[in-house]
């Protein structure tokens, strides 16, 4: 007779209580003016310096004291140049690229985020660009902020976003011939089951708490 | 064909793999080649590169014409691992990124989670002061490793012994407070895991006095030492424009004269209430960065003294946020069978309060829920700006955690610093950037 | 009967094995193979006054694997680093030992994912495993001393080959730990 006990997966392994319910979260609507603190100054200065502002910026999100500008991929380079060069904006430092993969928002699955810092005015904002899985191309910002070189390579390596115009877009963290892009949500965690005396415990992404 | 050095033709030219044997054989073969460039690999296993860093140098004689860094030899997938763990368990993963300053990783992560939760104002003051105290102690231990290993790589062995001697004293404090010397997982979202033990403040004050005296040892050895100056002055030059466009922060940026320190310009954890100076030099070279690190040690000691004063005034205050639905519920104590929940806590959750039992159970197994959104929280780590970009989808696990690590950005500057200089200068320049490969590769 | 009887006992009658083991264990030179956090604890054992390993003759961390005897794999081995580990191990000359320091080197540690090799013994043969995250310098010293004990009992030449063949045969015939009937839940033994 074999005892199964309370350990191990049976069924879907869902312990959340929602039974596999998937709620599509509503896209946050653009924040309304006034945004608060220095965000209004930034938005005004950007509008003044870049007349096609409303064409390029899809959405403005003000959340938890941070301003995020959702920019269209084609206009990214122009907006970035204005943000860096205009006297009242002067976001000289770009703190890298962060990628996020949202598999449920079909049509804009891959997001790239650029936190910007202005040392002159002591301000921070964020640029966010979304591209679909079918055409994951974003123009490269290496010519504007040279520090983005490695960050864009890392985002390419981990998510598969291709940065057009990057001088040498190759893998940086994984071995050069690694297949797949590890930090995407459809890439498994890749662990192995752990052997204990008398039982094996599956890898973290296949594991469950208890029945 | 000798089994030691072999050569083969590739599309890039002839590649020689040297694994022992006579160097003269290799140079004779190279000498007869038509091309002049020689690409040398300072491979991932090397005594003088700060960890598993691969430097590919294109040489003309002893001068470097091109330098590329190969990284990724320590890529651990920490960011992906946090997506399968609760928010509090994420602290134990994140702490192992920059393993020389683990408390900074933890604090960045916890500040970001608290911002998402909206409880930044409710984190108790004592918890913030303890965080500042531990972070400044960590800054001292991290700078000690930077100085010690930097000196060792340039050939000076005594500073390493002095530096590690001081570091051991600091690690003793860490062990007393959190139980571990490194990778402590002490800072948790909402506060810190447990309060300081009884006599820690007096021990820390003793340590400050001793450290002030002992830092003179290293100072006497290296500052003003003509050999040290010859090796480090005007080496690894990177001016302000270069730093800003490459996104370089920390001592490398402050060596250009720019007094940019997030503890002063965008304070967090109550740093605006402490008196300390931002150290800058204006030589933009390795010697300047070395002086900055030495002087930041003294500033850290000042902050630690002020933090001790504050802690004495705040004796008995809570160290975790008051909201029971978020606060880490366990109260640990050393019992007959080792470290575990204190008997008071067990009496409370098993005997008196049903809510405590439920909170303890739910928060430890499932974790708390964090409202959806994203934040980017930067702090000033010993290497520069360390930022956590965290995305939450409203659940008990992070949706995406990305760390903007200072070592990753600072290491990009190696090419700009070293091209045109000699091989020996590469070692000095990399040591002055002080990259931690766990932070670079995550 | 002659001068041999007068010499301190055991001096001329020790075996070659014991002599060789004595020499090997007391000047084991580690190769610098620090990868991550454990490397810092390894540096502490080499340089901090409390945990000095030069009392065992081991403070010389040789950078060249040709001159090293002991490879302390200190830290997590990523997929990209694995071929380098193997190459350094191959470049070490016999006799060589491997100490896998820390949970990540012994078994992958807390990082059970795509990027980390789940235990350096997937790549190289390990002589002694040291758990901990990171192990204290005293734990590392204990592991090194246990390795010294192991080396003391090592055989050389034909005896060594015999021992290796026996151990291999036993390991190939052994039952995996998680299938040992006595440890299964629900068994009556």
């Amino acid at each position: 007779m074999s005892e199964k006990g309370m350990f191990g997966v049976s069924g879907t392994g869902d312990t959340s209580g929602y039974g596999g319910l998937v709620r599509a979260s509503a896209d946050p609507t653009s924040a309304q003016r006034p945004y608060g603190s220095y965000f209004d100054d930034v938005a005004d200065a950007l509008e003044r310096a870049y007349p096609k502002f409303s064409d390029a910026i899809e959405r403005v999100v003000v959340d938890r004291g941070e301003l995020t500008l959702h920019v269209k991929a084609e206009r990214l380079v122009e907006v970035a140049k204005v943000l860096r060069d205009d006297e009242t904006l002067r976001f000289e430092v770009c703190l890298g690229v962060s990628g996020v993969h949202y598999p449920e928002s079909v049509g804009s699955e891959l997001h790239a985020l650029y936190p910007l810092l202005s040392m002159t005015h002591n301000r921070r904002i964020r640029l966010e660009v979304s591209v679909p899985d079918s055409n994951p191309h974003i123009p490269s910002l290496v010519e504007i902020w040279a520090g983005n070189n490695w960050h864009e390579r890392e985002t390419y390596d981990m998510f598969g976003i291709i940065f057009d115009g990057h001088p040498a877009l190759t893998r940086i963290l994984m071995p050069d011939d690694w297949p797949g892009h590890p930090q995407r949500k459809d890439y498994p965690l890749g662990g192995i089951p752990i052997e204990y005396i008398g039982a094996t415990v599956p890898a973290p992404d296949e594991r469950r708490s208890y029945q | 064909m000798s089994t030691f050095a072999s050569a083969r033709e590739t599309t890039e030219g002839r590649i020689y793999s040297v694994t022992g044997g006579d160097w003269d054989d290799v140079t004779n073969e190279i000498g007869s080649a038509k091309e002049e460039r020689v690409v040398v690999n300072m491979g991932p296993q090397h005594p003088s590169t700060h960890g598993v860093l691969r430097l590919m140098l294109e040489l003309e004689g002893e001068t470097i014409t091109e330098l590329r860094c190969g990284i990724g030899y320590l890529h651990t997938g920490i960011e992906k691992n946090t997506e399968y763990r609760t928010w509090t368990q994420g602290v134990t993963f994140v702490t192992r990124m920059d393993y020389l300053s683990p408390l900074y990783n933890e604090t960045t992560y916890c500040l970001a989670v608290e911002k998402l939760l909206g409880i930044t104002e409710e984190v108790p003051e004592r918890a913030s002061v303890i965080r500042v105290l531990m972070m400044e102690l960590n800054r001292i231990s991290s700078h000690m490793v930077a100085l010690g290993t930097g000196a060792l790589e340039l050939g000076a062995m005594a500073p390493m012994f002095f530096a590690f001697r001081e570091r051991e004293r600091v690690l003793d404090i860490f062990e007393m407070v959190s139980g571990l010397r490194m990778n402590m997982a002490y800072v948790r979202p909402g506060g810190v895991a447990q309060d300081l033990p009884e006599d820690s403040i007096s021990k820390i004050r003793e340590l400050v006095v001793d450290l002030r005296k002992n830092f003179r040892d290293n100072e006497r050895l290296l500052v003003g030492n003509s050999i040290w100056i010859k090796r480090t002055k005007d080496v690894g030059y990177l001016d302000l424009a270069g730093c800003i466009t490459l996104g370089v922060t920390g001592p490398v940026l402050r060596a250009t004269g720019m007094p940019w320190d997030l503890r002063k310009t965008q304070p967090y954890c109550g740093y605006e209430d402490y008196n300390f100076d931002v150290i800058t030099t204006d030589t933009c070279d390795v010697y300047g960065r070395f002086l900055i690190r030495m002087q930041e040690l003294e500033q850290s000691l000042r902050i630690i003294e002020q933090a001790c004063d504050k802690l004495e005034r705040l004796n008995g205050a809570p160290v975790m946020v008051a909201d029971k639905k978020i606060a880490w519920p366990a109260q640990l104590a050393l019992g007959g069978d080792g470290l575990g929940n204190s008997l008071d806590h067990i009496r409370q959750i098993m005997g008196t309060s049903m809510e405590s039992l439920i909170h303890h159970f739910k928060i430890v197994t499932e974790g708390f829920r964090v409202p959806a959104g994203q934040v980017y929280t930067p702090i000033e780590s010993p290497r520069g700006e360390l930022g956590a970009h965290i995305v939450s989808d409203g659940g008990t696990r992070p949706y995406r955690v990305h760390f903007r690590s200072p070592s990753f950005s600072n290491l990009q500057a190696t090419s700009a610093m070293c091209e045109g200089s000699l091989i020996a200068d590469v070692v000095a320049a990399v040591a002055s950037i002080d990259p931690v490969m766990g932070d670079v590769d995550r | 009967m002659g001068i041999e009887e007068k010499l301190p006992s055991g001096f001329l009658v020790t075996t070659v094995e014991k002599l060789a083991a004595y020499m090997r264990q007391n000047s084991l030179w580690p190769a610098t193979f620090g990868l991550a956090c454990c490397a810092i604890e390894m540096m502490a054992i080499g340089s901090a006054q409390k945990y000095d390993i030069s009392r065992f003759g081991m403070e010389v961390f040789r950078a060249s694997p040709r001159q090293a005897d002991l490879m302390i794999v200190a830290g997590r081995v990523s997929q990209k680093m694995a071929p380098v580990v193997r190459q350094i191990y191959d470049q070490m000359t016999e006799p060589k030992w491997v100490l896998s320091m820390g949970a990540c080197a012994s078994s992958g540690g807390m990082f059970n994912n795509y990027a980390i090799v789940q235990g350096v013994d997937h790549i190289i043969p390990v002589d002694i495993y040291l758990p901990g995250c990171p192990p204290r310098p005293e734990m590392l010293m204990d592991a090194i001393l246990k390795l010294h004990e192991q080396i003391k009992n090592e055989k050389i030449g034909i005896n060594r080959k015999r021992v290796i063949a026996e151990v291999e045969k036993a390991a190939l015939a052994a039952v995996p730990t998680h299938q040992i009937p006595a440890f299964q839940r629900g068994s009556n033994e």
Side-chain angles (χ1 to χ4, degrees), chain C residues 166-188:
Chain C
E166 265 174 42
V167 167
E168 192 172 334
K169 218 167 73 168
L172 284 172
V175 179
T177 319
H178 70 284
Q179 283 173 9
I180 293 177
F183 294 143
Q184 298 282 348
R185 264 186 298 207
S187 76
N188 292 331

Side-chain angles (χ1 to χ4, degrees), chain B residues 392-437:
Chain B
S392 162
D393 63 345
T396 56
R397 295 169 176 199
Y399 190 79
R400 165 89 171 123
V401 171
H402 174 77
F403 265 67
R404 186 263 179 206
S405 54
S407 309
F408 188 72
S409 311
N410 292 2
L411 203 57
Q412 277 187 90
T414 335
S415 307
M417 276 189 203
C418 300
E419 284 174 5
S421 63
L422 308 174
I423 301 185
D425 296 337
V426 172
V427 174
V430 171
S432 77
I433 296 177
D434 187 23
V436 173
M437 297 316 287

Side-chain angles (χ1 to χ4, degrees), chain B residues 19 45 47 52 71 73-77 81 96 99-100 160-161 165 167-168 172 175 181-183, chain C residues 32-33 35 40-41 47-51 63 66 76 78 80-81 91 110-111 113-115 133 136-137:
Chain B
T19 55
Q45 192 256 1
V52 283
I71 62 173
Y73 290 95
L74 203 56
H75 177 64
T76 322
N81 254 119
R96 284 162 171 84
Y99 39 81
L100 285 178
M160 174 132 182
F161 292 112
R165 177 189 68 189
R167 190 183 135 84
E168 287 299 316
D172 284 340
E175 200 179 354
R181 290 153 53 99
M182 280 173 64
N183 300 339
Chain C
T32 55
F33 210 75
L35 296 167
I40 313 295
E41 296 291 38
S47 333
Q49 280 86 57
K50 274 200 276 185
Y51 313 115
R66 301 279 183 201
R76 42 201 193 242
S78 74
K80 204 165 175 182
M81 192 65 186
Q91 286 174 354
M110 65 190 310
F111 301 113
N113 59 23
Y114 62 91
C133 195
R136 286 186 62 105

